[in-house]
Amino acid sequence: MLELASNLGQAPKAEDLSKSPLSIRGLTVSYGQKPAVFSVDMTVEAGKMTAIIGPNGAGKSTMLKAALGIVPPVSGQVQVFGRSLDEQRARIAYVPQRASVDWDFPTRVIDVVLMGLYRELGLMGRVRAKHRATAMDCLARVGMGDFADRQIGQLSGGQQQRVFLARSLAQGADLYLLDEPFAGVDAATEKAIISVLKSLREAGKTVVVVHHDLATVNDYFDNVFLINTRKVAEGPVAEAFTAETLQNAYGGRLATAQVDQLAKALA
Ligand code: ADP
Ligand code: MG
């Protein structure tokens, strides 16, 4: 009886966790001897925009890759909408850190976006007018409607980034994971991307972004997750993004100029 009572007492907590679009427990990932991510818990809040923040090499990209099952964990669990990753994979869209992908192989912009529909299309599926219409709509949403027939390799980095965002929109996911989408992009692209992400949030989607620009955190995000191999802080920006948590995450690596800039932003 006592056991039953205590189990009942814990039920609401388990329920809350299961609703999280992404819940990570005790995650440790190691590429060699030294862990890249050590014993990390993370609970992403549904319908919000969360920034993952930390210095270079802190394990930010590794967190996203582990959440997607791209890198195997040494230990830990990942749950997506309260279920296993395998069951929920179709609900996650991922925009990787803009790699120096060699686009020598000619690929049209529209075909990159159509890749987002591969689950619907299947391997041998024919691309039909409705698929093209969806892809065109997604391109329009990122302000790239006029570039559908261009070669992806001929676009600027910022334009390519918008096309990859359009591809993830085509997928119609519920959880969006983006790795430094604003790194090295032009101002127009940054504006276009943030406005699309905010509209996803308005539609009830959940967005998680690895973010490097501390000055825009207040403006862009609801929640932050600070990491430096271990978790440093997690929660609403007003509570978890403070001079103290930043100092803990960056240590001596935060330049004085950045600290000054931040003090102003946080004031
Ligand atoms: P961040 O995205 O925060 O800059 P990463 O997750 O990319 O950090 O990397 C975390 C640590 O793991 C770093 O020390 C990095 O050098 C190492 N690392 C990342 N990817 C690999 C890999 N494929 N092989 C070996 N080490 C890696
Ligand atoms: Mg990274």
Side-chain angles (χ1 to χ4, degrees):
M1 273 313 262
L2 265 178
E3 226 174 78
L4 181 61
S6 68
N7 279 346
L8 282 172
Q10 286 170 5
K13 207 175 166 197
E15 169 80 351
D16 284 346
L17 263 188
S18 75
K19 281 181 189 156
S20 170
L22 176 63
S23 152
I24 292 172
R25 288 291 163 273
L27 179 73
T28 296
V29 180
S30 195
Y31 298 98
Q33 295 287 358
K34 212 173 126 246
V37 165
F38 185 75
S39 192
V40 167
D41 292 346
M42 179 187 200
T43 307
V44 172
E45 198 180 347
K48 303 278 178 172
M49 279 175 59
T50 299
I52 299 180
I53 293 168
N56 279 335
K60 305 181 296 294
S61 297
T62 301
M63 285 288 292
L64 291 194
K65 287 176 188 166
L68 289 151
I70 296 172
V71 296
V74 173
S75 59
Q77 284 98 40
V78 174
Q79 282 207 332
V80 177
F81 295 103
R83 289 165 178 266
S84 76
L85 179 60
D86 281 345
E87 279 176 277
Q88 300 286 301
R89 199 175 293 275
R91 295 176 72 184
I92 314 177
Y94 173 48
V95 181
Q97 202 159 354
R98 194 152 54 80
S100 44
V101 178
D102 215 344
W103 289 105
D104 278 350
F105 189 78
T107 310
R108 284 183 320 158
V109 164
I110 182 92
D111 294 323
V112 172
V113 181
L114 282 166
M115 287 174 202
L117 292 166
Y118 77 97
R119 275 197 179 81
E120 201 178 313
L121 284 164
L123 263 185
M124 310 301 257
R126 265 187 57 200
V127 175
R128 296 175 194 281
K130 67 166 184 177
H131 300 126
R132 257 177 234 292
T134 301
M136 285 306 299
D137 178 51
C138 294
L139 276 175
R141 282 169 71 188
V142 300
M144 291 293 291
D146 293 338
F147 294 79
D149 292 320
R150 296 276 282 274
Q151 299 296 323
I152 183 89
Q154 291 168 353
L155 302 184
S156 74
Q159 290 170 329
Q160 286 180 358
Q161 190 72 319
R162 285 198 246 177
V163 173
F164 296 127
L165 179 59
R167 177 176 65 180
S168 79
L169 293 175
Q171 206 187 316
D174 296 312
L175 171 62
Y176 292 77
L177 308 179
L178 298 93
D179 200 343
E180 304 219 13
F182 306 117
V185 304
D186 53 288
T189 293
E190 176 148 350
K191 260 192 161 164
I193 292 176
I194 196 65
S195 122
V196 167
L197 297 183
K198 285 182 172 174
S199 75
L200 286 171
R201 176 179 59 185
E202 268 166 45
K205 312 288 190 183
T206 304
V207 180
V208 178
V209 178
V210 174
H211 191 63
H212 72 286
D213 179 13
L214 301 176
T216 49
V217 170
N218 270 298
D219 190 18
Y220 290 177
F221 295 97
D222 305 300
N223 295 334
V224 290
F225 182 91
L226 266 60
I227 182 169
N228 192 348
T229 308
R230 295 163 189 265
K231 174 161 100 180
V232 172
E234 178 179 32
V237 171
E239 289 161 29
F241 186 69
T242 65
E244 192 190 346
T245 58
L246 280 167
Q247 194 60 46
N248 289 341
Y250 284 82
R253 285 195 270 179
L254 204 58
T256 315
Q258 265 178 306
V259 176
D260 287 349
Q261 189 190 13
L262 271 169
K264 273 183 211 138
L266 293 169

